Amino acid sequence: MIKFPNDFIWGTATSAYQIEGAHDANGKGPSIWDSFCTIPNRIKNNENGNIAIDHYHKYKEDVALLKSQGFKAYRFSISWARIMPEGKGKVNEEGIQFYSNLIDELLKNDIVPWVTLYHWDLPLALEMENDGWLKPDIVDVFEEYAKLCFERFGDRVKNWITINEPWVVAILGYGQGVFAPGRVSNTEPYLAAHHLILAHAKAVKLYKTSFKHQKGFIGITNNCDWREPFTDKPADIEAAERALLFFLGWFADPIYFGDYPQVMKDRLGDRLPKFTDEEKELIKNSSDFFGLNHYTTMYAAEDDHSGKKSSVYGNGGISEDQDVILSQDKNWPLTAFNWAVVPWGCYNLLEWISKRYHNPDIYITENGFACNDKLENGEVNDLERLDYYRQYLEACNKAIKDGINLKGYFAWSLFDNFEWASGFSVRFGINYIDYKTLKRIPKASALWFKKIITNKGW
Ligand code: GBH
């Protein structure tokens, strides 16, 4: 029997650009994703989130669905450009009204809102005029935006996530160029990341001082895939540790210890910006909880420069900086994204976090499975997804039993949605979207969640 604690938080997650649509409705300004999607061949089938799943107009129906499926918490993000069309200065009251209504609707249905301030859709004006995350000005601009959110929504929102997956913003947006703003560099990711961390910390400082009376929690969500040493050789064990530090330690070390991992400083030299003493103080202990998005696992081996090549797409960052070769096991089942299903990797990662960062409260703010679901006789029997969730939640359950402070879990995602560079071709939802009618159809996995939430396990 698998039983979760009574106070375990069961939620599901989405993000603004992936579901809202209404890309230019009621005063919303464009974001870098609106713009990125207009560049030919950046997105599969040249799709975009202009309409997405039209959550903007269907939010009431969507909250009702959440409620009917038993979720007690819902993680969504605010589109910065919807409430501040130019990223700073002018406020768009109609945008504020939308989120205000959504929050009220959730609370009316006893669903606790978990709000992400930044899930990648930077107002385009900030990219054009300020070079996005590359210039230090963004830190104060983000603080101004955060302040607006605390002022307008903080009376009702008590759980805040500043930034979703700064690793993705830095590496995919500024390193590999596959996500907006589409830049390719081996220096810019480190610069962008530096400002993302500072922006997070400054927003938290503001919340902890000027908005203390709101009595909420605030933190950051990082993503990390587990890296298992390819062999027992010390060089491979070190390589896996190094890969984790370049992936998660890059962000979590500053947030828990005040500075970047030593191995990054040693290897990157001047390409890694430095925090001043004052900044270190600001950043240290700037997260009330450890937000984690986790999907998959890879083996990590030392790259001894004998010509071995990584056998998988993706390199977990800038591989030359790490001397790590990643690979997958032939026996691991793969998702539609070729991410391997390795539940014990989730356990190992939780354990690693717990040890390195002194047993913080951890929330898995995303975990989920991609496949090409088929609607048959009005039903979607996504047994593979259901199995993925069952196995990963079992790993979570074991972690809790072993004393790891895992406090909650958010399934990614409530709906099939606009999957960034993959467009609508890949489905992550526990609810199916018929893109012709935009009808929401619960998959078997959603019905399973309802059952296990009620029973606190299975
Ligand atoms: C999340 O990012 C996002 O927050 C969410 O918006 C998105 O829809 C969801 O995942 C599904 O994609 O072969 O090196 O690319 C996930 C971040 C980073 C997780 C890369 C998996 C795969 C290894 N991902 N990682 S790689």
Side-chain angles (χ1 to χ4, degrees):
M1 264 220 319
I2 300 286
K3 285 289 165 232
F4 282 83
N6 284 336
D7 58 356
F8 192 73
I9 289 172
W10 294 98
T12 176
T14 62
S15 91
Y17 190 67
Q18 294 179 274
I19 64 165
E20 284 179 3
H23 70 113
D24 60 358
N26 305 329
K28 177 182 171 292
S31 80
I32 55 173
W33 270 93
D34 288 306
S35 153
F36 191 65
C37 292
T38 66
I39 307 172
N41 304 323
R42 287 310 186 98
I43 313 294
K44 183 117 190 244
N45 303 321
N46 291 318
E47 286 165 337
N48 59 55
N50 287 1
I51 300 172
I53 70 161
D54 202 23
H55 170 72
Y56 184 81
H57 295 108
K58 293 180 185 290
Y59 75 91
K60 282 198 177 163
E61 172 188 341
D62 291 344
V63 173
L65 192 71
L66 265 170
K67 170 82 174 172
S68 77
Q69 294 176 349
F71 289 101
K72 305 283 189 275
Y74 174 54
R75 172 176 177 235
F76 65 92
S77 81
I78 293 176
S79 155
W80 186 342
R82 194 180 291 290
I83 68 170
M84 283 181 140
E86 276 125 50
K88 52 187 173 186
K90 203 180 88 213
V91 174
N92 178 29
E93 291 300 334
E94 283 182 278
I96 298 271
Q97 196 59 53
F98 167 70
Y99 293 109
S100 203
N101 293 346
L102 171 61
I103 291 162
D104 288 345
E105 191 70 18
L106 287 165
L107 293 174
K108 220 166 68 191
N109 285 282
D110 295 318
I111 298 165
V112 178
W114 284 61
V115 179
T116 307
L117 294 176
Y118 187 71
H119 201 123
W120 311 348
D121 45 356
L122 189 78
L124 183 62
L126 297 178
E127 183 66 32
M128 304 308 273
E129 289 156 32
N130 297 62
D131 272 343
W133 292 102
L134 293 177
K135 286 227 201 85
D137 332 11
I138 191 76
V139 176
D140 291 336
V141 178
F142 183 75
E143 188 190 18
E144 183 193 337
Y145 162 61
K147 180 164 180 267
L148 176 66
C149 294
F150 302 150
E151 276 168 0
R152 301 304 189 89
F153 312 125
D155 55 337
R156 290 156 292 159
V157 173
K158 304 297 171 190
N159 298 278
W160 295 98
I161 293 169
T162 52
I163 289 165
N164 179 66
E165 303 188 346
W167 182 94
V168 167
V169 178
I171 293 293
L172 304 189
Y174 291 87
Q176 301 172 1
V178 294
F179 280 9
R183 300 176 67 98
V184 178
S185 162
N186 74 355
T187 52
E188 288 182 3
Y190 298 113
L191 197 58
H194 197 71
H195 300 137
L196 283 156
I197 295 166
L198 284 165
H200 149 79
K202 225 170 161 193
V204 171
K205 175 81 185 288
L206 176 75
Y207 188 68
K208 295 285 175 187
T209 49
S210 309
F211 295 89
K212 206 170 164 208
H213 59 280
Q214 291 184 350
K215 296 197 173 68
F217 290 95
I218 186 163
I220 189 168
T221 276
N222 282 299
N223 62 302
C224 191
D225 305 327
W226 174 245
R227 300 303 186 221
E228 180 73 12
F230 184 59
T231 71
D232 289 344
K233 281 194 232 135
D236 287 346
I237 294 173
E238 244 177 70
E241 184 73 8
R242 192 160 66 240
L244 289 166
L245 292 172
F246 267 83
F247 201 154
L248 185 56
W250 182 7
F251 302 95
D253 271 28
I255 286 161
Y256 285 85
F257 310 140
D259 206 355
Y260 292 120
Q262 189 60 41
V263 68
M264 291 188 75
K265 294 189 197 171
D266 293 345
R267 287 179 163 251
L268 297 172
D270 288 345
R271 282 190 296 139
L272 188 69
K274 291 181 180 54
F275 294 119
T276 64
D277 287 343
E278 207 181 313
E279 287 170 341
K280 287 181 189 169
E281 274 317 298
L282 173 78
I283 300 163
K284 198 173 164 183
N285 296 322
S286 60
S287 202
D288 289 329
F289 52 85
F290 199 108
L292 175 71
N293 292 354
H294 173 73
Y295 287 87
T296 187
T297 284
M298 286 186 198
Y299 283 125
E302 192 204 25
D303 185 354
D304 57 8
H305 299 277
S306 63
K308 272 186 281 176
K309 280 268 168 336
S310 175
S311 66
V312 284
Y313 166 77
N315 48 27
I318 300 170
S319 50
E320 319 74 280
D321 292 341
Q322 302 178 36
D323 291 320
V324 171
I325 293 185
L326 301 177
S327 61
Q328 290 171 323
D329 191 301
K330 284 192 299 296
N331 298 315
W332 291 343
L334 297 179
T335 71
F337 254 167
N338 288 333
W339 298 350
V341 179
V342 189
W344 55 259
C346 179
Y347 179 91
N348 290 2
L349 177 60
L350 290 170
E351 194 184 34
W352 188 88
I353 290 170
S354 197
K355 281 200 181 123
R356 185 170 182 88
Y357 303 110
H358 313 305
N359 220 1
D361 284 351
I362 304 173
Y363 291 85
I364 292 187
T365 41
E366 283 181 29
N367 175 239
F369 180 91
C371 61
N372 302 310
D373 299 285
K374 293 277 173 295
L375 183 63
E376 278 161 344
N377 306 321
E379 287 179 11
V380 182
N381 220 357
D382 59 338
L383 297 183
E384 273 188 298
R385 177 176 291 106
L386 198 158
D387 217 46
Y388 175 97
Y389 279 127
R390 190 181 7 232
Q391 293 180 63
Y392 272 72
L393 278 165
E394 231 174 273
C396 291
N397 191 267
K398 179 166 166 4
I400 296 169
K401 288 203 173 108
D402 293 347
I404 290 167
N405 287 330
L406 178 65
K407 301 292 187 192
Y409 177 97
F410 293 74
W412 183 271
S413 177
L414 176 59
F415 301 113
D416 295 336
N417 59 42
F418 178 75
E419 181 46 45
W420 308 111
S422 306
F424 297 101
S425 67
V426 167
R427 293 175 182 268
F428 267 98
I430 58 172
N431 290 289
Y432 184 88
I433 300 291
D434 176 340
Y435 285 107
K436 286 198 206 81
T437 59
L438 293 181
K439 206 173 151 211
R440 284 89 164 114
I441 300 158
K443 302 181 192 177
S445 54
L447 306 177
W448 180 76
F449 265 109
K450 184 185 168 103
K451 223 167 51 195
I452 68 152
I453 295 171
T454 313
N455 298 333
K456 303 187 166 71
W458 61 92

